[in-house]
């Protein structure tokens, strides 16, 4: 860049700008007039941040507090009258108190976190987790360059410009001139507003000593005010504590900073014909005129001003009024991303109030996995270039990992909707455009269309031709073209970024994969997916609906005078068209419901991971070897799409989208829900695989329609979620959805679901209503058994079958279960197969078994029981009124114990013990059951021990066969022996 261009911002102000400066004093006087001096007793209560400090010069050591002014007026003021001196001191003290109150008020306001911060995780102060984004110095020449084409090269290009900190924005420029006006710009999501909040908070806490007074304004507020107002009135109206400071602001030599946040909201006219000159802070003018004259330096010329705006609005301020341009470049350094995640996810309140130490390891593990994924330069690295997406990642992880209970407001759709509200907050795309279309509405119509077409064609990567087809094909007017240009400069990179996968460098993907599905869902639910006939029909019906009523009234009057009786009939027919179209439009609701059902129950997605695990993998990555570039990629999965459709229809999300300019009427939501009953609930009654059933339950949770959910849950008599990793969030979702009804559940299968005592506590109300409860393979120890004891002793418990096989119950857990057996009235079957009971655990069961009146079957197999414990259990079982079957196979029972157990007779002793595959000189009726149990549980048992037991069973079969002469029995023995030998062979080969 040429030297002339570099110094363009250093040229003298225009003649109109120099006029007020000559009235207020020359710049040379100001540049050398401020110097700190120590005068004990003077302004001792004023903090350092409020003391006038020379701009660009540090205070001398040992000096502070009071201020002496040097320059032309020093001699005149060296010996003031005592009265004048006293008034000056009183004024300084008054100013100090007013500014202190102002600081306190600003600190309280700007430290306040939005609802989304408190709702989706612990609330953090800006001091605790703020990481400053990269700020690079820019120039007018670079800003005025034509907008780059949508090419991968332009998106990846990183300008090699000087990095500047927030506190150094007002340093002298390249030509040595003091900067007064700074334009800080950045695309949506780069953190402009958060950076300004941090700047204000820093000033309030004394970390911005350059300025003695900071006055922030929201340009959005100023844009809504059309009445004339003076600068003095404007400041005191917003900040009442400054009512004594503002009248003498111009003559007080205070170093003042005005912050104008969101300049794109204002339509500024810097021409003299459009905005008159004003140098009087007391003169009422439009708010936009105040801003223009502040930037012209015609009003309060010594004040510093920082303006934040989007790139498209930067050129609204003429370059001669700007001392420095600076661009917020987000977290362009991966280390900044890691720092943000570490600070945010390691906060003490991140994992909830209970068991902080327990979850600290999980927090560290999350940070480590996320850091490794960032180091791989995956797509998430490109996404977290925007600080707002870092917030979304942390919020989603908090939702996935640290949610112990799900209030109605906490849904994944709610997180994404609130995320968009935080970044767009109802902003119009271009305030100068007469349509005033909201930014989110424009995104839903254009980017939503691209997202939907990608979902329908199972595509996540889009070429430049795809983008042109989506954004440029329907461009017909100058206004539409201007809106597209604004979108490309301000919003495009928020949603789409270059693909980082090898071989796809010339394509674009959605910055966050789930955002594609969210926008596709929004596009459909808003009714933007219409055919040409539907669009024309809607517009025509609206026109006819407005015109026909007025025309019909006129024709009715004319027809009374003239013989035109047929005209009223004609216009009454016109009235029918809007009503007919409204009925046709109702079919559109059926189409939305049908689309939702088809996408929710796609059979090709039946055996994928559930959507919550998919989101987790997209953020933290998949541990293991990386895919080879030549390896065929997996098919794209879009299972969040229908879930987001349901979530968007919830009342809360519709209310937020209404604020963003995307209106979904109550009647439309009602009609869609009504149509869904015919499709979604009907298809949900079919047997679904566990992961797909979890997705269905999550859909019902996101939909937030209690009546609809209750009807859907009533149709589910059996719930099979085996092998689904039931995180605290999934347990909360299951409990929340099932709580909409009170019906009994025939069967709940939670086998191998990573449950713990906390999970059982969350699911307690659901477990009470389940008749058959499968909890095998869940690492449930003694603490979990305590929860199960409370469950079985509850007066509303209906559990009749409980399977706890392959859990480390242990002796203490057995004692809790024994207490439960003594007081329970519903349990008939209890399986404690391979639960490490040992003899003490079995003895505890036997002691309380006599008090039980309903148990019919007890499985204590594979628990290292000896003869003493086994016979003790059987002796109690003999006296039990209903217990008729005890499983004791794969225990350490001797030959003597076997003979004693073999002598039991059902007709005589009332109980049968299943120990071996034989029953005396015959094959046991339960031999196939025992072998099936072994085969099902072999992956979770000690193979060597199983091999030893199978060898003993084979020897027992051969011994019993030799003792019988019955050929039929011998044949049965040989058949069972062959099954055992086959199992042993597979066990040795490793094929079983």
């Amino acid at each position: 860049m040429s030297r002339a261009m570099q110094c363009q911002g250093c040229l003298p102000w225009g003649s109109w700008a120099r006029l007020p400066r000559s009235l207020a004093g020359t710049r040379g006087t100001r540049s050398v007039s401020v110097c700190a001096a120590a005068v004990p007793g003077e302004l001792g209560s004023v903090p350092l941040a409020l003391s006038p400090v020379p701009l660009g010069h540090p205070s001398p050591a040992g000096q502070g507090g009071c201020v002496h002014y040097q320059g032309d007026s020093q001699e005149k003021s060296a010996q003031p009258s005592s009265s004048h001196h006293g008034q000056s001191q009183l004024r300084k003290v008054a100013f100090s108190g007013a500014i202190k109150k102002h600081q306190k008020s600003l600190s309280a306001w700007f430290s306040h976190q939005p609802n989304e911060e408190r709702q989706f995780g612990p609330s953090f102060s800006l001091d605790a987790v703020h990481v400053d984004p990269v700020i690079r110095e820019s120039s007018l020449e670079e800003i005025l360059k034509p907008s780059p084409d949508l090419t991968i090269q332009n998106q990846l290009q990183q300008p090699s410009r000087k990095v500047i900190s927030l506190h150094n924005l007002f340093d002298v420029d390249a030509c040595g001139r003091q900067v007064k006006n700074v334009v800080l710009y950045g695309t949506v999501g780069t953190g402009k507003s958060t950076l300004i909040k941090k700047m204000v908070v820093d000033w309030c806490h004394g970390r911005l000593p350059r300025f003695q007074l900071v006055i922030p304004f929201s340009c959005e507020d100023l844009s809504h005010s059309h009445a004339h107002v003076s600068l003095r009135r404007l400041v005191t109206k917003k900040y009442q504590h400054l009512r004594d400071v503002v009248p003498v602001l111009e003559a007080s030599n205070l170093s003042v900073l005005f912050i104008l946040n969101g300049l794109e909201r204002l339509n500024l006219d810097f021409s003299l014909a459009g905005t008159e000159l004003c140098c009087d802070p007391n003169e009422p003018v439009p708010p936009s005129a105040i801003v223009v004259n502040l930037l012209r330096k015609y009003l309060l010329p010594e004040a510093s001003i920082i303006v934040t705006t989007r790139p498209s609005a930067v050129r609204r301020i003429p370059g001669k009024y700007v001392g420095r341009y600076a661009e917020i470049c987000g977290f362009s350094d991966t280390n900044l991303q890691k720092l943000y995640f570490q600070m945010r996810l390691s906060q003490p309140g991140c994992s909830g109030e209970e068991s902080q130490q327990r979850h600290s390891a999980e927090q560290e593990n999350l940070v480590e996995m996320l850091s490794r994924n960032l180091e791989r330069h995956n797509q998430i690295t490109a996404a977290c270039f925007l600080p707002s997406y870092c917030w979304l990642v942390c919020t989603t992880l908090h939702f996935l990992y640290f949610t112990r209970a799900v209030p109605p407001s906490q849904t994944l759709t709610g997180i994404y909707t609130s995320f968009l509200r935080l970044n767009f907050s109802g902003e119009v795309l271009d305030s100068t455009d007469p349509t005033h279309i909201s930014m989110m509405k424009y995104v839903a119509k254009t980017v939503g269309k691209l997202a939907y077409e990608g979902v329908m064609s199972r595509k996540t990567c889009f070429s430049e031709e795809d983008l042109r087809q989506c954004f440029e094909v329907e461009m017909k007017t100058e206004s539409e073209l201007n809106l597209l240009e604004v979108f490309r400069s301000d919003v495009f990179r928020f949603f789409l970024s270059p693909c980082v996968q090898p071989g796809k460098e010339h394509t674009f993907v959605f910055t966050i994969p789930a955002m594609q599905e969210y926008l596709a869902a929004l596009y459909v639910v808003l009714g933007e997916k219409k055919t040409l006939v539907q669009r024309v029909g809607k517009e025509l019906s609206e026109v006819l609906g407005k015109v026909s009523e007025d025309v019909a009234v006129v024709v009715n009057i004319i027809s009374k005078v003239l013989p035109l009786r047929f005209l009223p009939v004609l216009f009454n027919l016109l009235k029918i068209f809007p009503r007919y179209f409204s009925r046709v439009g109702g079919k559109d609701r059926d189409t939305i419901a049908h689309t939702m059902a088809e996408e929710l129950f796609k059979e090709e997605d039946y055996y994928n991971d559930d959507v919550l695990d998919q989101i987790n993998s997209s953020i933290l990555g998949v541990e293991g070897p990386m895919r080879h570039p030549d390896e065929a990629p997996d098919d794209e999965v879009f299972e969040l799409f229908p879930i987001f459709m349901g979530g968007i229809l919830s009342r809360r999300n519709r209310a937020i989208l209404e604020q963003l300019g995307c209106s979904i009427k109550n009647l439309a939501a009602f009609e869609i829900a009504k149509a869904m009953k015919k499709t979604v609930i009907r298809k949900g009654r079919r047997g679904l695989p566990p992961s797909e059933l979890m997705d269905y339950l999550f859909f019902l949770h996101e939909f937030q329609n209690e009546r609809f959910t209750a009807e859907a849950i009533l149709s589910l008599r059996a719930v099979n979620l085996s092998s689904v990793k039931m995180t605290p969030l999934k347990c909360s979702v299951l409990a929340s959805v099932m709580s909409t009804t009170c019906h009994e559940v025939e069967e709940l299968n939670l086998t191998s679901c990573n449950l713990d005592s906390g999970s059982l506590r969350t699911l307690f109300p659901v477990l009470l209503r389940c008749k058959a409860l499968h909890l095998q393979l869940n690492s449930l120890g003694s603490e979990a058994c305590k929860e199960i004891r409370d469950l079985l002793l509850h007066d509303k418990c209906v559990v009749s079958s409980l399977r706890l096989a392959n859990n480390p119950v242990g002796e203490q857990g057995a004692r809790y279960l024994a207490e439960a057996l003594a007081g329970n009235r519903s349990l008939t079957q209890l399986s404690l197969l391979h639960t490490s009971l040992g003899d003490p655990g079995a003895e505890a069961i036997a002691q309380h078994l006599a008090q039980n009146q309903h148990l019919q079957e007890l499985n204590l197999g594979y628990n290292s029981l000896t003869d003493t414990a086994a016979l003790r259990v059987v002796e109690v079982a003999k006296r039990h009124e209903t217990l008729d079957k005890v499983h004791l196979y794969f225990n350490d029972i001797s030959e003597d114990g076997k003979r004693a157990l073999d002598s039991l007779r059902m007709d005589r002793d009332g109980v049968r013990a299943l120990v071996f595959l034989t029953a005396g000189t015959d094959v046991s009726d339960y031999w196939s059951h025992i072998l099936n149990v072994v085969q099902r549980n072999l992956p979770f048992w000690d193979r060597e021990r199983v091999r030893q037991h199978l060898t003993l069973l084979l020897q027992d079969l051969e011994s019993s066969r030799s003792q019988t002469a019955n050929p039929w029995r011998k044949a049965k023995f040989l058949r069972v022996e062959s099954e055992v030998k086959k199992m042993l062979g597979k066990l040795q080969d490793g094929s079983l």
Side-chain angles (χ1 to χ4, degrees):
M1 184 170 57
S2 66
R3 178 69 175 173
M5 285 302 298
Q6 289 182 355
C7 297
Q8 182 171 355
C10 309
L11 296 176
W13 302 106
S15 58
W16 289 108
R18 285 199 298 267
L19 179 60
R21 187 176 304 115
S22 64
L23 299 177
T26 63
R27 183 175 299 274
T29 303
R30 173 63 176 166
S31 63
V32 296
S33 62
V34 184
C35 181
V39 180
E42 285 189 322
L43 294 179
S45 62
V46 182
L48 180 62
L50 302 181
S51 304
V53 178
L55 302 180
H57 298 81
S59 300
Q63 296 179 356
C66 187
V67 177
H68 284 279
Y69 295 96
Q70 300 176 353
D72 297 337
S73 60
Q74 185 176 10
E75 294 181 2
K76 297 181 181 179
S77 61
Q79 297 176 350
S81 65
S82 58
S83 61
H84 178 73
H85 180 74
Q87 291 176 1
S88 175
Q89 293 301 107
L90 289 174
R91 185 181 297 111
K92 290 178 181 179
V93 173
F95 284 3
S96 171
I99 294 177
K100 278 184 177 181
K101 291 179 181 179
H102 179 60
Q103 283 180 315
K104 185 177 180 180
S105 176
L106 282 183
S107 178
W109 177 255
F110 281 85
S111 298
H112 177 77
Q113 297 293 340
N115 292 333
E116 286 75 12
E117 283 284 357
R118 299 190 301 273
Q119 180 181 349
F120 300 113
S123 180
F124 303 125
S125 66
L126 287 172
D127 291 337
V129 297
H130 182 75
V131 178
D132 285 332
V134 173
I135 303 175
R136 297 185 185 274
E137 193 164 0
S138 184
S139 65
L140 183 64
E141 181 184 45
E142 184 171 345
I143 295 170
L144 293 179
K145 285 192 302 187
S147 299
D149 294 331
L150 299 178
T151 60
I152 186 70
Q153 291 81 6
N154 288 324
Q155 291 297 322
L156 289 176
Q157 185 178 4
Q158 289 291 336
S160 55
R161 292 172 285 155
K162 175 185 174 183
V163 176
I164 187 170
S165 70
L166 183 65
H167 291 183
N168 295 331
L169 289 175
F170 290 93
D171 288 352
V172 295
D173 59 15
C175 296
R177 183 172 178 178
Q178 185 66 52
V179 172
K180 284 295 185 179
N181 289 354
V182 174
V183 172
L184 187 65
Y185 68 95
T187 59
V188 174
T190 50
K192 299 183 295 295
S193 297
T194 303
L195 200 61
I196 291 301
K197 288 175 66 176
K198 180 65 166 56
M199 187 178 190
V200 173
V201 171
D202 280 352
W203 176 75
C204 293
H205 294 156
R207 293 190 291 268
L208 195 63
R210 180 190 296 271
F211 301 106
Q212 299 155 269
L213 179 61
V214 171
I215 304 177
F217 282 113
S218 166
C219 292
E220 180 183 9
D221 292 342
L222 297 179
S223 67
H224 294 156
S225 176
H226 302 291
H228 288 210
V229 63
S230 66
L231 176 61
R232 176 180 176 179
R233 174 59 182 153
L234 187 62
V235 173
T236 55
K237 182 179 178 182
K238 300 289 183 183
Y239 308 106
Q240 295 182 2
H241 299 302
L242 300 179
R243 60 182 178 270
D244 296 329
V245 179
V246 173
V248 292
L249 199 59
E250 192 172 12
S252 63
N253 289 320
L254 283 175
S255 178
V256 182
L257 172 65
F258 283 97
I259 297 177
L260 302 173
N261 188 35
L263 188 74
E264 66 275 359
R265 306 290 187 95
L266 286 175
N267 293 328
L268 302 182
D269 188 351
F270 280 81
S271 66
L272 293 178
T275 303
E276 63 181 3
L277 297 176
C278 175
C279 63
D280 184 3
N282 299 313
E283 181 181 349
V285 292
S288 60
I290 294 177
V291 173
V292 168
N293 281 289
L294 283 172
L295 291 169
R296 283 173 173 167
K297 291 303 172 190
Y298 200 78
L299 184 61
L300 296 183
E302 295 303 322
S304 298
I305 301 172
I306 184 169
V307 173
T308 68
T309 185
R310 301 200 306 259
S312 63
V314 170
R315 62 194 68 186
R316 295 184 189 177
I317 306 176
K320 62 182 179 180
Y321 298 131
V322 180
R324 173 171 284 127
Y325 294 96
E327 180 182 9
I328 302 179
C329 298
F331 294 155
S332 55
D333 186 352
T334 306
N335 291 326
L336 290 178
Q337 301 175 8
K338 291 181 181 179
L339 179 61
Y340 180 91
F341 291 133
Q342 184 175 7
M343 294 177 68
R344 179 99 192 191
L345 294 174
S346 300
Q347 287 295 309
C350 189
S351 58
E353 295 179 358
E354 55 181 42
S355 59
Q356 292 291 337
Q357 295 181 350
R358 174 186 172 188
H359 296 291
S360 61
E362 187 173 17
Q363 290 174 301
E364 294 175 2
N365 186 47
L366 277 181
V367 174
E368 179 64 25
M369 292 178 67
L370 195 53
S371 296
R372 286 202 299 267
N373 203 21
L374 291 171
E375 290 169 359
R376 297 189 193 107
H377 300 288
N378 286 340
Q379 201 65 48
I380 189 175
T381 309
C384 292
F385 161 78
L386 295 172
S388 58
Y389 273 108
C390 293
W391 179 89
L392 180 62
V393 167
C394 290
T395 303
T396 305
L397 286 177
H398 183 275
F399 180 69
L400 292 176
Y401 281 89
F402 305 121
T403 302
R404 298 294 178 258
V406 183
S409 58
Q410 279 204 11
T411 63
L412 186 66
T413 314
I415 289 177
Y416 275 75
T417 307
S418 298
F419 168 70
L420 293 174
R421 192 192 72 81
L422 279 174
N423 286 278
F424 295 98
S425 62
E427 289 187 51
V428 296
L429 182 60
D430 185 4
S431 61
T432 63
D433 186 76
T435 62
H436 286 89
I437 183 172
S438 75
M439 196 182 300
M440 198 62 228
K441 181 70 172 178
Y442 186 88
V443 167
K445 290 168 69 70
T446 55
V447 187
K449 178 183 177 183
L450 180 72
Y452 174 76
E453 291 176 353
V455 169
M456 290 296 101
S457 58
R458 317 290 280 186
K459 182 169 66 173
T460 58
C461 295
F462 303 92
S463 65
E464 294 176 23
E465 181 60 29
D466 293 330
L467 299 181
R468 278 193 289 269
Q469 288 291 327
C470 175
F471 294 106
E472 298 180 9
V473 165
E474 298 183 2
M475 293 290 108
K476 299 176 182 177
T477 65
E478 182 73 14
S479 174
E480 291 175 337
L481 186 59
N482 291 336
L483 288 175
L484 177 61
E485 286 300 316
V486 172
F487 170 80
R488 290 172 62 177
S489 64
D490 295 353
V491 191
F492 177 81
R493 286 192 298 171
F494 184 84
F495 291 105
L496 293 161
S497 60
C499 183
V500 299
Q501 295 181 21
K504 297 183 179 179
E505 292 85 356
H506 294 277
T507 60
F508 291 88
V509 297
F510 278 82
T511 310
I512 290 288
M515 187 59 74
Q516 177 179 355
E517 297 174 79
Y518 181 93
L519 292 178
L522 183 61
Y523 177 75
V524 174
V525 174
L526 285 175
E528 296 294 337
K529 187 179 75 69
K530 291 184 175 70
T531 63
L532 178 62
V533 174
Q534 288 175 319
R535 286 198 296 268
V536 172
K538 181 180 180 181
E539 294 175 2
L540 186 59
S541 68
E542 290 176 352
V543 172
L544 291 178
K546 294 176 181 178
V547 173
S548 60
E549 294 183 3
D550 297 334
V551 174
V553 172
V554 175
V555 171
N556 284 331
I557 295 173
I558 296 175
S559 63
K560 294 178 180 179
V561 181
L562 301 175
L564 301 175
R565 300 291 182 180
F566 67 92
L567 289 179
V569 177
L570 176 62
F571 284 100
N572 283 330
L573 290 175
L574 290 177
K575 289 182 181 180
I576 296 175
F577 184 81
R579 274 175 277 171
Y580 172 76
F581 182 79
S582 66
R583 294 182 181 179
V584 175
K587 299 294 183 182
D588 189 38
R589 319 284 190 236
D590 295 337
T591 303
I592 294 174
H594 179 74
T595 301
M596 201 179 301
E598 289 297 320
E599 293 296 323
L600 188 61
F601 301 110
K602 271 184 176 292
E603 293 189 6
E604 55 263 39
D605 296 335
Y606 267 14
Y607 298 99
N608 298 325
D609 292 337
D610 62 81
V611 292
L612 293 175
D613 284 348
Q614 292 175 28
I615 295 173
N616 183 68
S617 299
S618 70
I619 295 175
L620 299 179
V622 178
E623 296 295 319
M626 297 185 67
R627 184 191 300 275
H628 191 273
D630 297 333
E631 185 179 349
D634 296 331
D635 292 336
E636 300 293 350
V637 178
F638 296 97
E639 294 183 85
L640 267 175
F641 170 54
I643 293 175
F644 277 143
M645 288 178 70
I648 287 172
L649 288 171
S650 69
R651 184 182 298 274
R652 179 180 176 276
N653 286 318
R654 284 190 286 118
I656 297 177
L657 288 170
E658 180 77 30
Q659 300 172 17
L660 297 176
C662 299
S663 178
I664 304 171
K665 302 300 182 184
N666 289 332
L667 181 60
F670 173 78
E671 290 177 346
I672 293 173
K674 186 177 179 181
M676 284 166 57
K677 291 183 179 181
K678 306 173 185 176
T679 54
V680 175
I681 294 181
R682 186 182 71 248
K683 292 191 175 185
R685 292 193 181 105
R686 301 181 305 185
L688 298 172
S691 61
E692 196 70 14
L693 179 58
M694 187 68 240
D695 289 347
Y696 182 43
L697 296 174
F698 189 60
F699 165 81
L700 295 175
H701 167 70
E702 293 284 312
F703 191 34
Q704 295 288 296
N705 187 321
E706 189 170 340
R707 182 179 298 178
F708 181 92
T709 301
E711 190 170 341
I713 291 299
L714 280 172
S715 64
L716 296 177
R717 292 294 174 178
V719 178
N720 180 12
L721 295 174
S722 60
S723 300
V724 173
K725 185 179 179 180
M726 294 298 290
T727 62
L729 171 62
K730 295 177 189 176
C731 291
S732 298
V733 167
L734 176 60
S736 174
V737 169
M738 297 294 289
S739 67
T740 56
T741 68
C742 298
H743 77 290
E744 293 182 0
V745 180
E746 294 294 330
E747 181 180 3
L748 176 59
N749 190 344
L750 296 174
T751 301
S752 187
C753 288
N754 293 85
L755 300 180
D756 56 16
S757 58
S759 306
L760 297 181
R761 200 175 301 118
T762 302
L763 294 171
F764 193 92
V766 180
L767 302 181
L768 282 175
R769 295 155 38 202
C770 298
K771 293 183 178 180
L773 190 55
H774 301 264
L775 299 176
Q776 306 97 301
L777 294 165
N778 279 297
S779 301
L780 299 177
S782 58
E783 286 299 315
C785 290
K786 187 186 297 184
E787 298 296 329
I788 296 174
R789 177 198 63 185
D790 297 341
L791 171 73
L792 294 176
L793 292 178
H794 198 280
D795 56 353
K796 294 184 179 180
C797 177
V798 299
V799 177
S800 60
S801 175
L802 175 61
R803 299 183 182 274
L804 288 170
N806 300 307
N807 283 296
V809 171
E811 178 183 348
Q812 184 59 47
R815 296 185 186 280
Y816 289 134
L817 294 177
E819 295 176 17
L821 282 176
N824 179 265
R825 299 181 179 181
S826 62
L827 198 63
T828 59
Q829 294 179 332
L830 175 62
S831 175
L832 296 174
L833 175 69
H834 190 219
T835 51
S836 305
L837 298 182
D839 285 355
E843 181 65 28
I845 296 289
Q847 288 178 359
H848 291 79
L849 195 56
Q851 303 174 43
N852 181 277
Q853 305 296 323
H854 303 279
L855 194 65
Q856 299 175 9
E857 184 175 353
L858 176 63
N859 191 336
L860 299 178
Y862 202 156
N863 274 295
S864 303
L865 304 187
T866 61
D867 295 357
T868 304
L871 292 172
R872 170 80 172 114
V873 171
V874 170
E875 286 298 322
V876 176
K878 285 182 180 180
R879 299 188 295 272
H880 198 281
E881 295 182 4
T882 58
L883 185 60
D884 59 7
K885 194 181 298 180
V886 179
H887 300 250
L888 294 170
Y889 39 80
F890 276 57
N891 281 302
D892 300 332
I893 299 175
S894 65
E895 285 294 324
D896 293 338
K898 175 182 178 298
R899 282 192 293 271
L901 294 172
D902 281 345
S903 65
L904 294 173
R905 294 291 181 270
M906 186 67 190
D907 52 353
R908 183 189 66 201
D909 301 310
V911 67
R912 177 167 296 171
L914 309 182
V915 185
F916 287 91
L917 301 181
T918 59
T921 58
D922 199 358
V923 175
S924 171
D925 293 339
Y926 299 96
W927 70 269
S928 60
H929 170 77
I930 295 174
L931 290 182
N932 285 335
V933 169
V934 174
Q935 190 164 1
R936 284 198 309 268
N937 292 278
L938 191 58
F940 321 107
W941 289 357
D942 183 355
R943 288 177 173 266
E944 179 58 28
R945 186 172 179 183
V946 170
R947 188 189 64 78
Q948 294 174 3
H949 277 286
L950 288 177
T951 302
L952 290 175
L953 290 178
L954 184 61
Q955 293 173 357
D956 181 64
L957 285 169
E958 292 171 347
S959 174
S960 298
R961 175 167 56 84
S962 64
Q963 296 176 14
T964 181
N966 189 319
W968 173 248
R969 289 184 177 179
K970 284 183 178 289
K972 289 171 63 179
F973 275 115
L974 289 173
R975 178 190 173 191
V976 178
E977 287 174 26
S978 67
E979 291 293 332
V980 175
K981 290 178 180 178
K982 188 185 301 182
M983 190 174 293
L984 276 170
K986 290 183 177 179
L987 189 61
Q988 292 174 354
D989 297 340
S991 58
L992 187 64

